[in-house]
Amino acid sequence: MTHSGRQGRPTIAPRHAEQARNVAAQVFDRLADPDTTAADALNPGLSSPGVVRELLWSDLSLSSGYPGVSLAYTGRGRPGPEDAARAHAYLVRAMRATAATAHPPAGVYAGPGAVAFAVLVAHRATGGYCSALERLDDHQRRLVRRALPEVRDAPTTTNGEFEVVRGMSGVGRYLLARREQCEEELRLVLTYLTRMAHGEVTHRGRRVPRWWTWAAPRMGQEVEMPDGHLNLGLSHGVAGPLALLSLAWQRGAVVDGQRSAVERLVDLLEARALPDEDGSGPVWPPHLTFEDWTAGPQGPPPRRRPSWCYGAPGISRAIQLAGQALGRADWLRLAHRSLLPLLATDPESWNIDNPNLCHGWSGLMHLLAVLNESIGDKRLADLVDDMAARTLALFRPESRFGFQATLTDVPQPADTPAFLEGAAGTALALDAYAAGRTTTDWDLPLLLA
């Protein structure tokens, strides 16, 4: 049996389809009630009292709250009436929380922006939520008008201005999906990102890209990076704007300078790629310090885990989208070559201890399947099956949500229903894998398509 993917390329039936389908269904059932899910997400048995509540559950989070878990039901391949009812229960609670609290400007992973994406996916799945979607469109339009950053001749205060998770690349993906209703604001975002991609700024007497930020990649690293950094990843760095500008170009949403902006971004990523230890392909560090930038590319880099958020295959997908948008076969080859180190190394050496989407086995599984649609490399197809087996091996029937995650700043693996770092996202990836399906709506906020 064969299946057809996002670009229509037939793919071989998944090797672990039946088990993946069954495990995903079990997880979806465990998430069915939003009230008990939210309560249990706080992991009352977790031993450390210092765990910040928002790391485990935040009502208006696309990563770990009502909007994100709703995707478990609207993002399935064939959502039925029961799925629609379950999703609706989550969305009602998300919209109540939105109405109850004032929210500062944010991206699409927190606050009303997270609800907007969840309602968009629900609308596409059911045809409903039209009036709610119109209200959320208006919120996103006003957010852009109020919070669009300036393009300055100095490093940015934070990469949260332009990135996918907190910034305008994520907002822009929502606007692109709602282009007919949000055309003007979409153009403003594309123009902003295009201008950011052009030119450099002077920092500590050296020329650096406009994407340079004073902020450290993570809180607590400020002392290590007093001069800021350049972030390369898809979630928090320059690969996010590249993905959005490329997706917009494919859909005919184009502003002046956009082509050269895409070219500059790919050139930057290509110039800062380093050879892998065995020379099998280019790899990217997650970020560059000022010392890294001034020293120039030096490799090979320390081996890091592959993921959506940093390095390949997240950056690989952004470059592939650019190659598809502008018809650049050399960029498509670069994207393919960046996956070869994964084929040349043992997955046991990848330092992955999670099943999740962000930086775990299921995210790799889904990303590699999406990338391989237009590559057609049998070795990558086999690797997708291997990632599925590794994801399924982490299913724990005795745990509350079936999958546990190792979260930053949480001292031990936690039961979490989250989309980005928990059971909901893992189950969605398994559900798509079981159907041989890479055309999904739930991965829109990941900027994979």
Side-chain angles (χ1 to χ4, degrees):
M1 179 185 294
T2 60
H3 302 271
S4 182
R6 201 185 302 268
Q7 303 297 330
R9 175 187 289 274
T11 57
I12 299 171
R15 192 178 304 157
H16 308 291
E18 184 175 357
Q19 185 184 2
R21 188 178 301 109
N22 290 339
V23 167
Q26 289 184 58
V27 173
F28 294 144
D29 285 342
R30 292 169 185 235
L31 299 171
D33 180 73
D35 294 327
T36 58
T37 295
D40 293 344
L42 295 176
N43 285 263
L46 202 62
S47 60
S48 173
V51 172
V52 178
R53 180 187 189 278
E54 286 74 14
L55 294 173
L56 300 171
W57 180 268
S58 180
D59 288 351
L60 290 181
S61 170
L62 193 65
S63 174
S64 59
Y66 294 123
V69 181
S70 77
L71 301 181
Y73 305 106
T74 55
R76 298 183 69 175
R78 292 185 179 86
E82 184 179 41
D83 295 307
R86 290 175 173 180
H88 184 71
Y90 276 95
L91 292 172
V92 165
R93 285 156 179 78
M95 287 187 275
R96 283 177 186 164
T98 303
T101 314
H103 304 278
V108 294
Y109 275 80
V115 183
F117 244 124
V119 171
L120 169 64
V121 176
H123 169 70
R124 289 187 167 192
T126 67
Y129 300 98
C130 294
S131 60
L133 198 54
E134 289 174 3
R135 292 194 301 273
L136 291 161
D137 286 344
D138 184 60
H139 175 274
Q140 296 301 86
R141 288 193 295 263
R142 287 186 286 109
L143 182 147
V144 170
R145 294 288 181 178
R146 184 171 71 251
L148 189 71
E150 296 180 24
V151 178
R152 299 178 291 270
D153 289 325
T156 64
T157 302
T158 168
N159 45 323
E161 295 182 6
F162 59 78
E163 65 170 49
V164 169
V165 172
R166 297 171 293 169
M168 286 296 154
S169 293
V171 173
R173 185 63 191 90
Y174 176 87
L175 299 174
L176 181 60
R178 298 288 290 168
R179 181 181 173 190
E180 186 174 336
Q181 294 78 16
C182 304
E183 175 82 33
E184 191 172 349
E185 288 73 22
L186 173 62
R187 293 183 63 83
L188 288 174
V189 170
L190 295 177
T191 298
Y192 159 69
L193 295 174
T194 293
R195 291 185 61 200
M196 286 290 293
H198 286 87
E200 298 177 326
V201 299
T202 300
H203 179 55
R204 302 299 197 209
R206 298 294 296 265
R207 300 295 283 174
V208 298
R210 285 190 187 276
W211 310 105
W212 198 275
T213 175
W214 280 107
R218 284 181 53 198
M219 290 182 63
Q221 292 182 314
E222 293 81 4
V223 174
E224 304 168 39
M225 301 182 192
D227 297 315
H229 78 290
L230 176 68
N231 200 298
L232 301 181
L234 180 55
S235 60
H236 299 298
V238 301
L242 173 61
L244 177 65
L245 291 170
S246 301
L247 288 165
W249 185 280
Q250 289 181 24
R251 289 156 177 77
V254 178
V255 298
D256 290 345
Q258 189 168 330
R259 172 184 281 272
S260 60
V262 170
E263 292 169 342
R264 285 171 177 265
L265 282 163
V266 177
D267 286 347
L268 172 60
L269 288 169
E270 190 167 17
R272 290 292 162 165
L274 300 170
D276 192 42
E277 291 176 350
D278 63 2
S280 59
V283 296
W284 288 278
H287 48 72
L288 301 174
T289 66
F290 190 68
E291 291 74 19
D292 294 332
W293 179 262
T294 55
Q298 297 182 13
R303 190 174 297 285
R304 303 187 66 90
R305 65 186 176 196
S307 65
W308 166 74
C309 48
Y310 283 111
I315 293 175
S316 311
R317 178 57 176 169
I319 291 173
Q320 186 183 67
L321 289 170
Q324 292 169 347
L326 299 189
R328 291 287 298 265
D330 54 331
W331 294 351
L332 297 177
R333 289 193 294 270
L334 173 62
H336 188 188
R337 284 191 288 110
S338 70
L339 303 176
L340 298 183
L342 302 182
L343 298 172
T345 56
D346 184 350
E348 291 294 327
S349 70
W350 294 355
N351 195 32
I352 295 175
D353 58 2
N354 266 303
N356 66 37
L357 285 179
C358 183
H359 46 263
W361 297 119
S362 69
L364 281 174
M365 174 185 68
H366 184 67
L367 253 170
L368 291 172
V370 170
L371 280 155
N372 201 37
E373 273 184 292
S374 55
I375 294 174
D377 188 327
K378 175 63 165 57
R379 298 170 299 170
L380 288 173
D382 289 341
L383 193 56
V384 169
D385 283 325
D386 182 67
M387 301 298 97
R390 292 173 184 275
T391 303
L392 291 165
L394 292 175
F395 180 63
R396 298 288 180 266
E398 70 278 7
S399 71
R400 170 62 176 86
F401 302 114
F403 287 101
Q404 295 184 325
T406 304
L407 303 175
T408 304
D409 298 325
V410 176
Q412 62 196 60
D415 270 309
T416 171
F419 166 66
L420 198 56
E421 293 189 81
T426 300
L428 280 167
L430 287 172
D431 179 74
Y433 164 81
R437 184 170 60 93
T438 55
T439 303
T440 68
D441 283 336
W442 59 261
D443 66 6
L444 293 181
L446 302 179
L447 265 74
L448 300 188

